[in-house]
Amino acid sequence: MIETIVVIFIFSLITGALSGLILMLYKTHGYTWQQSQAIAEARRGIQTMVKEIREARIGEDGSYTIASTTDFQFSFYGDINRDSRIEKVRYFVEGSDFKKGVIEPVGIPAVYPTGGEKISILSHYVRNSPPIFRYFDENNQELPAPVRRRDTKLMQVYLVINVNPNKAPQDFVLSSMVQLRNLKREF
């Protein structure tokens, strides 16, 4: 009888330990998969953004190529959907989401109604405390806020992705430099 109780007790301990190990492995795998999905999502968003920013041009209403330049928002004009109309595009962070807003021009002369902005989420789990956007002139000197819009020729995009900042793996950083081709100074 005692031997049976000891065997049941040992079997219960082994079963509990194995169950705990399997549960921990599933949680770790799930978190790792979620983190890798978030990184892939952010990578695709940055690739799209870089391509679109390179093709920035003057707005249909005659607006300057760059509409706004802040640390966490950048907007510009460009034909991002290849329909021969110049859209106003805005990349920005809201909460922990990296988003893209697009406004189609309306009428002749063209106007860009802010109420018509279509917003999509490019990436979740953005944890930036440093700025997402940094702006540089033709000499690769970083620009302060007052002259960014006028003098920007090169930008850096810097995203920090982490599904759960309280859990390893730590932050994953994605960074890319973008030259605005239509603003490139001719020498």
Side-chain angles (χ1 to χ4, degrees), residues 55-169:
E55 303 294 326
R57 58 187 64 184
I58 294 173
E60 281 191 27
D61 62 352
S63 295
Y64 184 64
T65 304
I66 298 173
S68 73
T69 55
T70 69
D71 290 348
F72 293 93
Q73 177 176 287
F74 177 70
S75 61
F76 63 98
Y77 297 90
D79 182 13
I80 63 166
N81 58 6
R82 306 281 187 233
D83 65 352
S84 299
R85 301 287 319 257
I86 307 300
E87 295 83 18
K88 184 176 183 181
V89 183
R90 177 172 70 117
Y91 285 97
F92 62 102
V93 173
E94 191 172 75
S96 64
D97 293 334
F98 186 50
K99 297 181 177 184
K100 174 183 178 179
V102 178
I103 302 173
E104 295 284 340
V106 176
I108 299 176
V111 293
Y112 294 92
T114 55
E117 184 177 37
K118 292 184 176 93
I119 296 176
S120 57
I121 297 174
L122 299 175
S123 180
H124 300 283
Y125 310 112
V126 174
R127 309 286 185 201
N128 277 62
S129 57
I132 288 178
F133 300 108
R134 293 175 60 205
Y135 307 92
F136 302 89
D137 64 13
E138 69 262 0
N139 299 317
N140 295 330
Q141 298 298 311
E142 189 164 1
L143 297 168
V147 295
R148 284 179 180 167
R149 186 170 172 260
R150 182 189 70 221
D151 295 338
T152 295
K153 306 293 185 236
L154 180 70
M155 293 175 52
Q156 179 186 32
V157 180
Y158 184 88
L159 284 181
V160 177
I161 306 296
N162 196 340
V163 172
N164 183 349
N166 301 320
K167 191 174 192 180

Side-chain angles (χ1 to χ4, degrees), residues 13-25:
L13 283 177
I14 292 171
T15 303
L18 284 175
S19 297
L21 180 64
I22 290 170
L23 184 62
M24 184 182 72
L25 288 173

